[in-house]
Amino acid sequence: MSQKRTTEAAKRLLIKALNRSPHNRPSVISTGKNPAYNQAIALLRRQERLAATCQHRQAKYLNNRLRVRPRQAEAADPACARVPV
């Protein structure tokens, strides 16, 4: 992800992710600390594309599954064991 991600780009990314499963809406969205995500999520809530009850967690590595759960990733896919973290 680029450090210069704009609000419009973040909104497009979130809309694509939400459209992938229109029947299952997220209860939590984890993103990096880029402020563009806050603005994009607020826009989507105002447009009622995202539930007001959806939480937004901003943390440095929560959105990276390999860094959060490296052992589980290795067990699921042995090729992950060879990926430097």
Side-chain angles (χ1 to χ4, degrees), residues 31-62:
T31 64
K33 294 195 175 200
N34 191 326
Y37 289 114
N38 281 336
Q39 297 165 355
I41 288 173
L43 271 170
L44 291 174
R45 283 184 179 150
R46 274 187 253 128
Q47 295 172 353
E48 296 182 0
R49 289 184 166 194
L50 189 62
T53 58
C54 181
Q55 296 177 355
H56 179 212
R57 295 189 305 177
Q58 287 186 302
K60 191 171 183 181
Y61 296 117
L62 276 179

Side-chain angles (χ1 to χ4, degrees), residues 15-36:
I15 287 173
K16 281 184 182 182
L18 290 171
N19 287 340
R20 290 186 100 185
S21 65
H23 303 293
N24 297 325
R25 293 295 180 193
S27 59
V28 177
I29 295 177
S30 297
T31 64
K33 294 195 175 200
N34 191 326

